[in-house]
Amino acid sequence: MPFIRISFSKAFEREQTLRAKQELGRLVSILKGKDESKLMLDFRHSPCMFFRGDDLANGAFVDCRLYGPIPNDEKKAFSEGVFAALREIYAIDPADVFIAFTHYDDWGSLGGYKSL
């Protein structure tokens, strides 16, 4: 199950978040073995985010947590898709979007536990 949390520097309309949910559901299939049916999303809207010592007016941090390793070329394609989606949906400049990937060898979901 991929878990993706996006923390935004400001609040957005629900319609925009629903569009982002749909687009992330499509983009996650770029990652081998991942699809929307197992995707958990968390959208956080913060009125207080700082970058480079200043208030970040319109930016985002994308935290992607994944079970198992993912090839770099897939993470690159996924990242490019996320940058484009956040620009189109929220008008966030890709220079103000940061994406982090964390891989886990152990994962519990759907009432069970698995380990690589």
Side-chain angles (χ1 to χ4, degrees):
M1 175 183 85
F3 172 74
I4 300 173
R5 172 177 289 147
I6 304 180
S7 299
F8 295 98
S9 62
K10 67 180 190 178
F12 290 99
E13 298 295 323
R14 181 166 174 79
E15 286 180 14
Q16 290 170 291
T17 300
L18 292 174
R19 283 180 55 208
K21 177 196 85 67
Q22 183 177 23
E23 185 61 12
L24 287 166
R26 184 187 70 76
L27 288 169
V28 77
S29 66
I30 291 171
L31 307 173
K32 184 178 180 183
K34 312 299 181 198
D35 62 57
E36 186 177 21
S37 71
K38 298 173 188 152
L39 175 62
M40 180 178 278
L41 294 168
D42 182 20
F43 295 92
R44 303 279 173 117
H45 304 278
S46 172
C48 190
M49 189 179 281
F50 297 92
F51 180 58
R52 301 179 195 111
D54 293 317
D55 194 15
L56 184 59
N58 191 22
F61 180 81
V62 182
D63 179 11
C64 300
R65 302 178 194 193
L66 306 162
Y67 174 66
I70 299 292
N72 285 338
D73 62 327
E74 293 177 18
K75 289 186 287 189
K76 181 179 187 294
F78 176 80
S79 296
E80 290 168 352
V82 170
F83 291 132
L86 295 182
R87 175 180 284 224
E88 179 183 328
I89 297 166
Y90 297 105
I92 299 176
D93 186 326
D96 292 325
V97 176
F98 307 89
I99 302 174
F101 292 92
T102 307
H103 303 267
Y104 295 92
D105 291 338
D106 303 287
W107 200 271
S109 66
L110 304 171
Y113 168 81
K114 55 186 174 179
S115 180
L116 294 177

